[in-house]
Amino acid sequence: QVQLVESGGGSVQAGGSLRLSCTSSGYTYSSYCMGWFRQAPGKEREGVAAMYTDGYKVTYYADSVKGRFTISQDNAKDTLYLQMNSLKAEDSAMYYCVVDGPPRCRGWLQGNGYNYWGQGTQVTVSS
């Protein structure tokens, strides 16, 4: 059974940084898409970042986080990361780790394309 456990969320002031981690059990990171989504109260769920590796790493970012967030993985630790810098109040949301997504991240923004989701970790940014 696949389990994804996120950690690293918390409260931070605008301009600060957080690093989210997603540790998996029962799942081996592969060339299929993996990434992060977020959802704020009253708003639709949105894709934040995604990546796949096929001998090299390819990453994708939502326009709203480009240049501020970085997605990465550590295969040895079965862990996916999201480094978030220069945080803004509008980044406040529940963040979810996703794996086993579409090949080469085609259509990565579609949440229903991922087979496994974590339980989420809350990020709150105060202005």
Side-chain angles (χ1 to χ4, degrees), residues 10-16 18 87-93 123-127:
S11 297
V12 65
Q13 289 193 330
L18 286 173
L87 282 161
K88 305 175 182 180
E90 52 263 43
D91 294 319
S92 296
V123 171
T124 303
V125 184
S126 58
S127 57

Side-chain angles (χ1 to χ4, degrees), residues 38 46-50 59-71 82-88 91 108-109:
R38 68 185 181 187
E46 63 173 342
V48 176
T59 58
Y60 300 87
Y61 296 96
D63 288 343
S64 58
V65 307
K66 278 181 183 176
R68 301 188 297 120
F69 290 12
T70 303
I71 187 172
L82 184 68
Q83 177 67 44
M84 307 186 295
N85 299 329
S86 302
L87 282 161
K88 305 175 182 180
D91 294 319
W108 73 273
L109 288 169

Side-chain angles (χ1 to χ4, degrees), residues 3 14 17 21 26-28 32 45-46 64 77 79 107 112 120 122:
Q3 285 191 323
S17 298
S21 299
Y27 181 82
T28 300
Y32 286 93
R45 181 180 62 192
E46 63 173 342
S64 58
K77 296 181 180 179
T79 301
N112 58 9
Q122 179 68 41

Side-chain angles (χ1 to χ4, degrees), residues 4 33-39 44-50 96-103 105-118:
L4 303 175
C33 197
M34 63 196 84
W36 295 88
F37 278 70
R38 68 185 181 187
Q39 187 166 23
E44 291 189 357
R45 181 180 62 192
E46 63 173 342
V48 176
Y96 299 90
C97 166
V98 292
V99 300
D100 203 30
C105 289
R106 291 192 183 98
W108 73 273
L109 288 169
Q110 302 302 316
N112 58 9
Y114 299 84
N115 288 319
Y116 301 106
W117 288 69

